[in-house]
Amino acid sequence: MLNKFICDVWLRRIYIFLYAAIAVFLPLNKIGLSIATLLLGLISLLFTPLSTFKETFIVKKSFRFLAIFFLWILLSLLWSNDLNQGVQFINLTLPFYILFFIFLLHPVQSEFGLNVLLKSFLIAVSLTVLINIIGYARQTDYYSYDMRQMSLFISHIRLSIMVVIAAVLSFYFFLKSTSFWRYIFLINVLFLIYYTLLSEVISGYISLAIAVFFMVCYFIYRLIKNKTYFWITSGVLSLAFLCGTFIFISDIFTRPTIELLTVSKKGNPYWSDTSNTIFENGHPVAVNIQIQELEEEWVKRSNVSLDSAARNGQINLWNLIRYMASKGLVKDAEGVAQLSNQDIRNIEKGYVSYLQDNRSFKSRLQSLADEMSYQGSDPNGYTFLQRMEYWKAGLSISKENALIGVGAGDARSAFNKYYDKTHSKLTQENRRQSHQQFLSVMVSYGLIGLALFLLFLIYTFREVPTTFYTYLILLILVVSFLNEDTLETQTGASLVAFFVGLFAGIRGNRLKEEDRLSNEN
C-alpha cells in the first residue's frame, strides 16, 4: 500500500474533505456524488493497509455481515438469467457498500470533523429546499403543476427523507449550542417542516411524524430531570399523540351514510350506481346524479361545453360530477347553483376536487384515503393502488423463489412476467418493482439474503453511538425501507451509507480508543 508516502494527518483531511463533498452533493448532484465516491474508493484502496481491512472485518460485525451479504449478491449471479442486467444492478447499488466500508475503515476521529460533515449536509439540504420553494413560487399554472416537480435536483422521495433528517440535525444543533445564533437552527427546523408538509410526499409525512414525536419527547427529557415525571409526561404525550392521530385519520377515512334520492325538486329522477367505489373528499361520486339539470344549469354559469374534453382527458361533465361530490353536493340544478364563481373556474381548468385548489397536508391524505376505496379500479396514476400491485407481485414472486430468490438482475423480468401472466391493468410505464426494500431483497436474494441484510441492520444499530439523534436518523432511514426500495437508487444508497457508515465508524473508533487507553493503564 502507498500509505507510507503520505502522512496520516493529510490522509484524514482528504477523507474529511471528500466526506463533506458527499454530504453536499447528496441533495444536489448525482455526478458530483459519483466523482466523490469514486475518489474515496480509489484513495481507500491505495492507502489502506491490509491489516486495517482484517482488523475491521474481525471487530465490526456490521462490516462482516454486509461483506457476506455482498458476496451472496455476487453469488446470486450464478442463477440469474440475465448476467448483464445483474452486473448493471450491482454497479448501481455499489456506492452503498463502498461508502459504508470506507467509513468503517477510516472513521471520523474528532467532534470537529463530525460537525463539519453534519453541517455540510444540513446547509446543502436547506439551500436545496430554498431553491425548490422559490421555483415553486414562480409557477403560474398550479393545475398542471405536479408537486413532485418541486424537487429540482433529485427524486422528491429521497429529498423528503433528507429534509426530515436535516430537521433532526437542526434540532440537535439548537439544543447543543448555547449562543444566541442557536435560534437560527430552530427557525430552520420550522422551515424544513413547512417544506415537508408542502411537498405532499407520503414518505416525508411518515418520517416527519416520527421525527417530531421523538424530538418533543427528547426536549421534555432535557427539561424534566426527574425520571418518574418524565415517563409519566411521555406516557401522557404518547397517549395524546395516538388519540389525536386516530381521530385525525378516522375523520379522513370516515365515509358518510349514502342517502339515495329518488327525484329532484323539479321532479326529475336521479341516477345512482352504488357499485361504483370512487370517492372524492370522502363523498361517493356516482350517486344522486341528474344529468339534464346539470347541463341546463351549467350553461347559465359557463361557456365551456360539458361534452368537451377537459385538460385531464376526461369530459367536463364527469369532472363537474366529481367536483360537486368533493363538496358534498347533490348533482342537480340546486347543486350547481351552490357552486361559487371560483368553483366554476376550477372546473373549467379541469379540477376534479375543490381540494386541488387548496393543497395541504390534510388534502393529500384525503386523496390517499379516497384511493384506498377504489377497489377493483384502474390503479394507474394512483400512488396507493400502484403500490398495492407492486407488493402483491413481489410477494407472489418471493413465494416461488423463497430460499435464494431470482438472482441479481432478474427482478425486472420476474415482475414483467407476473404482470403479463396476471393481465395486470398497470400500463407499461407503471409496471415497476417492489417499492419496499425488504421485499426487494427477498425477491432478488431470498430468505438467505434477507436474513443477512437484517443481521447487518441489527448489528449496525448496536454499533452506532447511543445518542438521541443517531438512533432517530437511523430509524427514519429504516422506516423509509417499508415504503420505498431506498437502496436501489444511487442517491438513496449513498444517503443510507453516509449516515449508517458515519455513525458506525465513529462508535468503532471510540471503542478502539477506549481499548487502547485501557491497555496502556
Side-chain angles (χ1 to χ4, degrees), residues 434-475:
S434 302
H435 262 286
Q436 212 271 14
Q437 189 58 61
F438 299 109
L439 189 54
S440 294
V441 172
M442 180 72 173
V443 168
S444 295
Y445 316 116
L447 285 171
I448 296 176
L450 181 61
L452 292 171
F453 183 67
L454 290 174
L455 285 170
F456 158 71
L457 291 178
I458 291 169
Y459 281 105
T460 296
F461 267 89
R462 294 180 63 179
E463 292 173 355
V464 300
T466 53
T467 62
F468 152 75
Y469 81 99
T470 56
Y471 278 143
L472 182 51
I473 289 174
L474 293 188
L475 178 62

Side-chain angles (χ1 to χ4, degrees), residues 49-86:
L50 289 175
S51 58
T52 302
F53 279 100
K54 188 183 300 183
E55 179 186 357
T56 306
F57 184 84
I58 294 172
V59 173
K60 303 293 291 182
K61 290 184 178 180
S62 59
F63 187 103
R64 196 183 315 162
F65 279 112
L66 187 61
I68 296 172
F69 177 61
F70 184 65
L71 289 175
W72 178 252
I73 291 174
L74 295 178
L75 187 64
S76 74
L77 291 173
L78 295 176
W79 57 85
S80 174
N81 294 320
D82 192 338
L83 185 60
N84 290 333
Q85 189 65 31

Side-chain angles (χ1 to χ4, degrees), residues 126 129-130 133 186-196:
S126 299
V129 165
L130 180 61
I133 288 180
L186 183 60
I187 293 171
N188 197 49
V189 171
L190 301 177
F191 173 62
L192 294 172
I193 290 175
Y194 164 74
Y195 179 85
T196 302

Side-chain angles (χ1 to χ4, degrees), residues 8 105 149 158-159 226 257 284 374 402 421 436 477 491 496:
D8 289 342
L105 291 168
Q149 296 175 244
R158 312 294 173 236
L159 180 63
N226 187 298
T257 302
Y374 298 173
K421 183 175 68 175
Q436 212 271 14
L477 291 173
T491 304
V496 175

Side-chain angles (χ1 to χ4, degrees), residues 134-145 149 311 349 351 357 359:
I134 292 173
Y136 171 72
R138 295 175 65 183
Q139 295 298 317
T140 56
D141 185 3
Y142 286 96
Y143 166 75
S144 59
Y145 187 80
Q149 296 175 244
R311 295 175 65 176
K349 291 177 183 178
Y351 287 24
D357 196 39
R359 284 173 167 164

Side-chain angles (χ1 to χ4, degrees), residues 392-413:
K392 189 190 303 181
L395 288 171
S396 178
I397 296 168
S398 297
K399 289 178 183 178
E400 295 177 4
N401 307 271
L403 188 60
I404 61 175
V406 298
D410 269 21
R412 175 73 274 168
S413 61

Side-chain angles (χ1 to χ4, degrees), residues 109-120:
Q109 299 185 8
S110 67
E111 186 174 357
F112 173 78
L114 175 63
N115 288 337
V116 166
L117 299 189
L118 297 181
K119 288 182 179 179
S120 296

